[in-house]
Amino acid sequence: MQIEPQAFDRVLSSMCTEPHPVAREAAKRFLATNPGDPGTYPAVTALEDEAIAMLGELTGLEDPSGYIASGGTEANIQAVRIARDRAETRTPNVVMPESGHFSFQKAADVLGVDLRIVPTDETYRADLEAVRSCVDRETALIVGVAGTTEYGRVDPIPALGELAASVDAMLHVDAAWGGFVLPFTDYEWHFGHAAVDTMTIDPHKMGQAAVPAGGLLARSADLLDELAVDTPYLESTSQATLTGTRSGAGVASAVAAMETLWPDGYRDQYVRAQHNAEWLADALEKRGYDVVEPTLPLVAADVPQSTFDALRAKRWRISRTATGELRVVCMPHVTREMLASFIADLDRLEMRASVPMTSDD
Ligand code: 0PR
């Protein structure tokens, strides 16, 4: 029996989306290539250089170093690895707000660094005082998030950069999800705005590329060189990636998506997604739910557990924040019609809940 891949028509929980048609096509064409072996697959290697140049353009970095990773998890692990290997101490720590993605816990675990998680403030952003009181001479890295996974918040990146510099630590910005919408906002989040050393920015999230296409960027080549190991029997001499063999599909589809959509297509997509998020937040508020204001296209709202479960039973793919709020990510595949139909289902559920049960029910 052939199982069909799932449609996206009820998916409100994903930070990935349907690849743009040109990205899908490029992924198919480059499926059999392996940028892990540039000597054998030079065409896809040239494409990867293009991908990094374009990511540099999005993030205010003139001469970017980096590579297309398997995803944000790999990019975050590698950023921690660079910082750990640069640190002068043998017992380095990494300071991160509690809004940081769980991939940093994996990084800390495999790399043997001490991960210090500090609280966020009432706006769900890194609390600068908390970060300041946690850093010390052994801090190798401060992590700031530009588009948090749960609430879409952007940490005060320039101030985190100053803090990092004051203790000789590096600053990593996790813009895995936010990186493709933030260029159209007033936030200060990238290499051109602050003393950012490394960044995660994933084409396979808001960038509309096919999975796997994460992105790791470094301000200078020497930072990326920290990751390089010798590859004696390949034609190329060293490799900075965590994975060895890797798919050229993600690389090619990232380039195709960015060539097609940067900047106008991404801008249109951001505007549409942000309007949708505001429309949904408004609709939920009108129905009496507490809503966390969507500063980027991501809505969180306090919906009772029973309502959440009933919506799941209606096959809506929704997820929750750590504190239990309903969380809807307004990705490119999430249309106004989808959201209207979601709200209509919510209304039907609430109506049923408010009508007293009769013996006919
Ligand atoms: N950094 C941030 C800020 C993220 O939100 C995520 C993933 C990562 C790093 C890790 O990226 P990769 O998953 O590419 O390694 N955030 C979502 C999550 O883990 C990703 C996701 C994707 C969730 C698809 C659901 C889904 O259907 O929750």
Side-chain angles (χ1 to χ4, degrees), residues 5 15 33 45 97 116 138 144 168-169 204 230 255:
M15 292 190 131
T33 63
T45 303
R116 300 181 174 174
E138 305 212 298
D168 240 352
H204 75 199
D230 294 340
V255 171

Side-chain angles (χ1 to χ4, degrees), residues 224-239:
L224 203 70
D225 285 347
E226 292 287 349
L227 302 170
V229 297
D230 294 340
T231 52
Y233 52 84
L234 294 181
E235 283 305 305
S236 51
T237 52
S238 70
Q239 191 174 81

Side-chain angles (χ1 to χ4, degrees), residues 8 11 13-17 70-76 99-104 106 145-150 174-178 200 202 204-205 211 213-214 319 327 329:
F8 272 90
V11 176
S13 56
S14 183
M15 292 190 131
C16 295
T17 191
S70 55
T73 299
E74 179 183 341
N76 285 342
S99 52
H101 189 254
F102 53 75
S103 47
F104 289 99
K106 299 181 186 178
V145 191
T148 59
T149 309
E150 294 197 310
D174 184 354
W177 178 73
T200 294
D202 290 351
H204 75 199
K205 295 193 171 74
V211 178
S319 62
R327 174 175 161 273
V329 193

Side-chain angles (χ1 to χ4, degrees), residues 35-57:
D37 179 3
T40 309
Y41 301 96
V44 74
T45 303
L47 270 182
E48 186 161 26
D49 293 344
E50 253 184 71
I52 296 308
M54 296 197 74
L55 286 174
E57 213 178 303

Side-chain angles (χ1 to χ4, degrees), residues 53-99:
M54 296 197 74
L55 286 174
E57 213 178 303
L58 264 88
T59 60
L61 191 54
E62 217 162 85
D63 190 15
S65 291
Y67 71 89
I68 297 299
S70 55
T73 299
E74 179 183 341
N76 285 342
I77 291 173
Q78 294 282 72
V80 174
R81 189 170 156 216
I82 294 172
R84 183 199 65 173
D85 291 353
R86 286 230 142 182
E88 310 252 297
T89 166
R90 299 184 66 173
T91 50
N93 65 70
V94 173
V95 177
M96 170 180 95
E98 61 185 338
S99 52

